[in-house]
Amino acid sequence: SFINADFNIFRYHVAVMCLENIMERVIVSMQDPDMGMKMRNQRLLITVIPHAMTGRDIVDWLIQKYTITEEEALHIGNFLVKYGYIYPLKEPRNLCLKQDETPYRFQTPYYWTSTRWPASELDYAIYLAKKNIRKQGELIEYEKECYNALHKRINHTWDFVVMQAREQLRASKQRRKADRIVLECQEQAYWLINRPPPGVMDILEQGPDRRNVANTRVQLVSGQMLAIFVKYCEQYQDHDPIMQGCLPSNPWITDDIMYWNMNSETVTMPTKLRVERWSFSFMELLNDPLGRKELLTYLEKEFSAENLCFWQACEEVRHGEASKIAAKVDEVYKQFLAPGASRWVNIDSKTMEKTLEGIKHPHRFVLDDAQMHIYFLMKKDSYPRYLKSELYKNLLAKAIVPQETKKSVFPFMRRQRHSSPSPALVTQTAEDNGKAKPSAAKANAGTASQI
Amino acid sequence: MYPSIHPSIHLSTLTSISSSPVIIYVHLAVQQLQTLCFLANFPLAKMAAQEVQPSETIAKLKSESEALKTKLEEERAKLHDVELHQVAEKVDPLGQFVMKTRRTLKGHGNKVLCMDWCKDKRRIVSSSQDGKVIVWDAFTTNKEHAVTMPCTWVMACAYAPSGCAVACGGLDNKCSVYPLSLDKNENLAAKKKSVAMHTNYLSACSFTNSDMQILTSSGDGTCALWDVESGQLLQSFHGHAADVLCLDLAPSETGNTFVSGGCDKKANVWDMRSGQCIQSFETHESDINSVRYYPSGDAFASGSDDATCRLYDLRADREVAIYSKESIIFGASSVDFSLSGRLLFGGYNDYTINVWDVLKGTRVSILFGHENRVSTLRVSPDGTAFCSGSWDHTLRVRE
């Protein structure tokens, strides 16, 4: 079970590795002999620590190397400190990057989060024991609590812990003062990150464990294929409120909900942009309930309204409750497919034959082929004619172009943010009034009966 | 009885303090680390095994990788292979964007993990680590409903198309649907319907075109389609080799496919009717946290722990753009497109939101403000704003 526990930790560790590998790349760049940071000696009281750098130098280097703003460089630099790749020489408990003469040093790879994760309890015990021995009472409150808890938990190896602590302290006394200070700083920085004091955000928190795998087709793509994206973006640019704004105004900016009111489902006269959008694709027309209504009006004139009704009925079968499929399919058959049906749809004989056969054992997708046939029929035939029709052209001509409303500069004149009835309320009221609950497909297709 | 090697000695061999810093790459094969864990009860043994020779010099590795890159580009040019940004060279560049926080939603007591918009364009549902699911009118910032789940880490939530219910789940391995009641006295939990059952955590959920079907993805490596009314499993989707973290439904005419992303670094496109994986993309270098279709349905974007977002063209069957920058170190947790598909918003684990020009591949803007990871991000249904949720307990609506 020891093996399994460690293996699970390792598997999880693979996910963490990616972030650290990317950070390591940055750190390695920073230490590049040619293009890396200029380091200098730093005086700490009477000791000189080599290979240090200032916070200002770090920020400047990041700005220059990645062509980013000071704000972004400081943001990144802070993470390098918070994740323990760089540590401050003065004020070691304050793990943040200051953009001034504050000295910092690179953490030794031995203590990188990627190499020494997860931190071992035994190592932490040794570290705390060293602190305790070195100076009685040097442990701060939460460290004392951890120390006592560890003493209880791994009591069986406590002799070893104390022996190791003593050995390490003895060895460190034999070092030069500069080396000793650096080693202590490095170790302390490591533990501040892996055992953060209460109240400090645990930077290493990752969320629930994930299982990973520790791991190509060469396809060609021509410029022509990618041109569709350029075309789509161009076509929709004026309709993109974040990019171009919207008229009369964006409700989130001006607190005025006119834009939503003017574009609601039940509006009598739609906006010009909205009607224009119906000409972009058949899907756009169908996805807009108002557009669908207009299309139905047009199809009625052409005596082919049953196509749209059939399509919608099929949607309801596909997206409705499993328990109602058989009944719905039966309804569809009676209304649209049976010989002599009141709203008979004109499907090719092959598809019709297949569909009628399938209906004997109805399932969710049994009407798919027939639905697709009618969909493409409408798309290729009725839709282009609708766009050329007087009905559409007149609507487009009459459609509204809203006036712009600006956000009020004066706070006391700012609009009140009005609440709107919850969609749940609309349903509830309908239910209370004994009406049938709006079909679940309402948001998309609308019920056959409403049309 | 105890080994006499002291850790301090190893420290000195690995770090010469008086000479210039030596960068040591510690590459450990899977086998080696496993063996280490097996053998080593003592940290000392681990340290001893890690006393690795310094690997090849950086300079040599650098020049090798540069040579490979050039060769690859040469080969591609020969075949007239292009990327999206090359095709978009003639497109006008975007100007400066000013996007401010217009609403801040405060009320969650812990990390916000997921959010979804209602079709009414102003309401949202959000879920958090402490088990709370809240429905807000984001426009007024009023909380309208709140549910406490019986589990923590509610990683998935979704608004029903009708606006009458929400779905959510997480460490309980389930997806439950709560009809939204306006009776203040009614406990929403009373009418809760348990729909999906997985064998590991629920990572994402989405209603299909109606309130009656839910699509889920899970840490058990599968996705599944469920009938809400009966809780019946309609279809399951097997193919990921590890946890599935995200999914998105295709806005296509036939409405039959969806894409999922997982810890196996793969993005898979599935046929909802047959359960088959019809396309698979594997170019990311780490977990895929988020997938989202381009508005036309011809492509989808992904965000990954490898600090990049990528665009995959479904007809060309390959990656056509990478959105990355050397200064972006942290993983992207959540992505979504603006209405026209020109902008890609990415929420990242370094608390920022990067805004990308989808066509040109450049970064348009970087947005600060959150004080912890951005965990979830969605553009509103009419594209007037986008909302981000964060581990800092808040949600922000920005335009």
Side-chain angles (χ1 to χ4, degrees), chain A residues 323-394:
Chain A
S323 59
K324 299 203 176 131
I325 289 176
K328 283 185 184 171
V329 168
D330 193 47
E331 260 309 301
V332 167
Y333 170 74
K334 290 202 185 98
Q335 268 196 48
F336 300 100
L337 298 171
S342 58
R343 313 181 87 176
W344 192 78
V345 284
N346 195 356
I347 309 172
D348 69 284
S349 52
K350 190 161 161 226
T351 311
M352 180 64 96
E353 205 180 299
K354 190 171 170 213
T355 307
L356 291 177
E357 189 58 40
I359 284 179
K360 293 178 184 166
H361 307 282
H363 60 89
R364 187 174 297 275
F365 304 112
V366 75
L367 297 169
D368 270 16
D369 287 349
Q371 185 187 19
M372 237 188 330
H373 179 92
I374 294 295
Y375 178 86
F376 283 111
L377 192 69
M378 288 193 287
K379 179 178 171 179
K380 285 195 197 120
D381 185 40
S382 315
Y383 174 61
R385 282 189 290 110
Y386 165 68
L387 292 180
K388 296 195 191 114
S389 70
E390 287 306 311
L391 187 69
Y392 178 74
K393 288 191 182 148
N394 285 341

Side-chain angles (χ1 to χ4, degrees), chain A residues 319-321 440, chain B residues 207-208 210-214 226-229 234:
Chain A
H319 298 293
E321 298 100 310
Chain B
F207 286 89
T208 63
S210 79
D211 285 17
M212 297 298 126
Q213 291 170 334
I214 287 191
W226 310 83
D227 178 66
V228 172
E229 190 193 36
L234 299 173

Side-chain angles (χ1 to χ4, degrees), chain B residues 5 13-14 21 29 38 44 61 69 73 126 149 172 190 194 203 214 228 266 271 283 291-292 294 300 353 383 393 399:
Chain B
I5 309 162
T13 55
L14 289 170
F38 177 80
L44 297 172
L61 286 170
K69 246 167 125 188
E73 271 162 29
S126 58
M149 295 275 288
D172 58 353
S194 235
S203 54
I214 287 191
V228 172
K266 285 210 209 135
D271 180 323
T283 60
V291 285
R292 193 73 61 209
Y294 183 82
F300 68 91
I353 293 167
H393 309 189
E399 184 288 325

Side-chain angles (χ1 to χ4, degrees), chain A residues 80 87 133 143 146 180 214 216 395:
Chain A
L80 294 177
Y87 62 91
I133 295 170
E143 282 176 336
C146 292
R180 189 164 14 109
T216 226
L395 187 62

Side-chain angles (χ1 to χ4, degrees), chain A residues 28-189:
Chain A
V28 165
S29 296
M30 288 177 94
Q31 295 181 73
D32 185 272
D34 302 314
M35 304 298 287
M37 297 218 39
K38 297 286 169 280
M39 286 178 266
R40 51 187 105 170
N41 292 341
Q42 176 65 41
R43 191 171 284 282
L44 268 187
L45 293 176
I46 51 166
T47 325
V48 173
I49 312 283
H51 307 297
M53 54 217 168
T54 67
R56 189 190 305 284
D57 284 345
I58 294 172
V59 175
D60 286 345
W61 187 88
L62 288 168
I63 291 174
Q64 212 255 327
K65 164 84 176 167
Y66 296 119
T67 327
I68 52 180
T69 63
E70 194 176 273
E71 186 180 17
E72 202 177 345
L74 199 53
H75 189 82
I76 297 171
N78 248 304
F79 279 114
L80 294 177
V81 176
K82 287 209 157 49
Y83 273 78
Y85 288 93
I86 295 175
Y87 62 91
L89 281 171
K90 300 181 181 165
E91 274 184 81
R93 292 199 167 275
N94 192 3
L95 288 176
C96 71
L97 183 69
K98 292 201 195 128
Q99 197 184 351
D100 52 23
E101 303 305 307
T102 311
Y104 294 86
R105 235 177 151 269
F106 288 109
Q107 177 65 289
T108 167
Y110 179 79
Y111 276 133
W112 282 356
T113 327
S114 53
T115 40
R116 301 217 80 57
W117 190 92
S120 121
E121 275 204 323
L122 198 60
D123 287 343
Y124 192 44
I126 296 171
Y127 168 69
L128 291 176
K130 275 198 294 188
K131 268 191 136 189
N132 205 27
I133 295 170
R134 195 165 48 214
K135 204 161 150 196
Q136 273 290 347
E138 193 179 352
L139 293 178
I140 56 182
E141 204 49 55
Y142 85 98
E143 282 176 336
K144 276 194 204 134
E145 280 169 28
C146 292
Y147 186 74
N148 292 333
L150 279 166
H151 184 85
K152 258 195 218 140
R153 200 156 55 239
I154 56 172
N155 193 272
H156 51 285
T157 62
W158 206 253
D159 284 348
F160 174 72
V161 168
V162 173
M163 191 209 79
Q164 272 296 308
R166 288 216 178 96
E167 279 294 333
Q168 289 185 22
L169 281 173
R170 196 175 53 77
S172 108
K173 279 205 183 87
Q174 289 166 0
R175 298 188 165 285
R176 284 171 34 219
K177 188 155 186 215
D179 290 356
R180 189 164 14 109
I181 291 177
V182 164
L183 277 171
E184 277 170 18
C185 282
Q186 287 172 345
E187 199 182 15
Q188 177 173 50

Side-chain angles (χ1 to χ4, degrees), chain A residues 239-243 246 250 252 259, chain B residues 121 337-340 345 379-386 399:
Chain A
H239 299 254
D240 187 334
I242 292 179
M243 292 212 20
C246 55
N250 189 319
W252 298 102
Y259 178 73
Chain B
K121 304 146 191 174
F337 288 96
S338 73
L339 188 140
S340 64
F345 299 97
V379 172
S380 74
D382 62 354
T384 48
F386 68 93
E399 184 288 325

Side-chain angles (χ1 to χ4, degrees), chain B residues 75-384:
Chain B
E75 291 300 314
R76 286 174 100 198
K78 278 189 211 161
L79 301 166
H80 303 290
D81 196 33
V82 292
E83 287 191 339
L84 183 53
H85 68 90
Q86 293 167 281
V87 171
E89 253 154 40
K90 299 214 183 89
V91 176
D92 286 337
L94 297 171
Q96 278 294 333
F97 274 90
V98 175
M99 276 178 272
K100 295 195 187 149
T101 301
R102 305 291 174 180
R103 304 286 190 277
T104 305
L105 304 180
K106 293 187 185 163
H108 276 293
N110 214 317
K111 307 177 176 68
V112 176
L113 303 175
C114 187
M115 60 87 34
D116 190 21
W117 287 90
C118 175
K119 284 222 157 76
D120 76 349
K121 304 146 191 174
R122 48 188 284 171
R123 284 175 169 78
I124 68 168
V125 61
S126 58
S127 63
S128 84
Q129 183 195 354
D130 63 2
K132 281 244 162 41
V133 175
I134 301 179
V135 173
W136 319 68
D137 177 352
F139 188 70
T140 57
T141 73
N142 290 338
K143 298 186 211 22
E144 292 189 345
H145 306 271
V147 170
T148 308
M149 295 275 288
C151 69
T152 56
W153 289 93
V154 187
M155 293 176 266
C157 65
Y159 225 120
S162 68
C164 300
V166 293
C168 50
L171 284 186
D172 58 353
N173 302 357
K174 301 196 198 135
C175 184
S176 310
V177 175
Y178 291 84
L180 296 175
S181 160
L182 285 160
D183 181 352
K184 294 288 174 198
N185 295 323
E186 185 168 9
N187 182 10
L188 284 185
K191 290 232 178 95
K192 159 179 161 178
K193 214 185 288 187
S194 235
V195 175
M197 290 262 276
H198 280 278
T199 53
N200 208 325
Y201 65 86
L202 188 83
S203 54
C205 64
S206 173
F207 286 89
T208 63
N209 284 18
S210 79
D211 285 17
M212 297 298 126
Q213 291 170 334
I214 287 191
L215 192 58
T216 58
S217 65
S218 165
D220 67 13
T222 70
C223 299
L225 182 67
W226 310 83
D227 178 66
V228 172
E229 190 193 36
S230 62
Q232 188 194 355
L233 173 67
L234 299 173
Q235 186 61 262
S236 66
F237 307 90
H238 297 261
H240 279 287
D243 303 16
V244 187
L245 297 178
C246 52
L247 58 85
D248 192 31
L249 280 145
S252 76
E253 295 180 297
T254 46
N256 272 332
T257 61
F258 73 95
V259 62
S260 65
C263 291
D264 58 359
K265 309 173 206 168
K266 285 210 209 135
N268 291 338
V269 180
W270 308 86
D271 180 323
M272 276 166 77
R273 290 175 22 167
S274 63
Q276 294 296 318
C277 174
I278 52 183
Q279 273 175 296
S280 187
F281 303 88
E282 193 175 353
T283 60
H284 272 294
E285 293 166 19
S286 187
D287 301 4
I288 298 178
N289 297 312
S290 175
V291 285
R292 193 73 61 209
Y293 273 93
Y294 183 82
S296 71
D298 293 314
F300 68 91
S302 58
S304 161
D305 275 347
D306 68 6
T308 70
C309 298
R310 296 175 198 235
L311 188 71
Y312 297 92
D313 183 323
L314 291 165
R315 295 176 321 152
D317 193 30
R318 59 157 252 198
E319 175 193 296
V320 293
I322 303 185
Y323 307 100
S324 70
K325 220 174 170 316
E326 272 192 315
S327 60
I328 297 178
I329 301 170
F330 285 75
S333 65
S334 192
V335 297
D336 203 358
F337 288 96
S338 73
L339 188 140
S340 64
R342 182 68 192 267
L343 300 174
L344 180 70
F345 299 97
Y348 288 73
N349 290 341
D350 68 357
Y351 321 170
T352 66
I353 293 167
N354 288 291
V355 187
W356 301 92
D357 180 334
V358 170
L359 299 180
K360 290 192 177 286
T362 53
R363 185 181 65 184
V364 166
S365 191
I366 176 170
L367 307 172
F368 297 94
H370 278 299
E371 291 165 19
N372 204 327
R373 287 196 196 188
V374 178
S375 53
T376 177
L377 187 155
R378 296 296 295 263
V379 172
S380 74
D382 62 354
T384 48

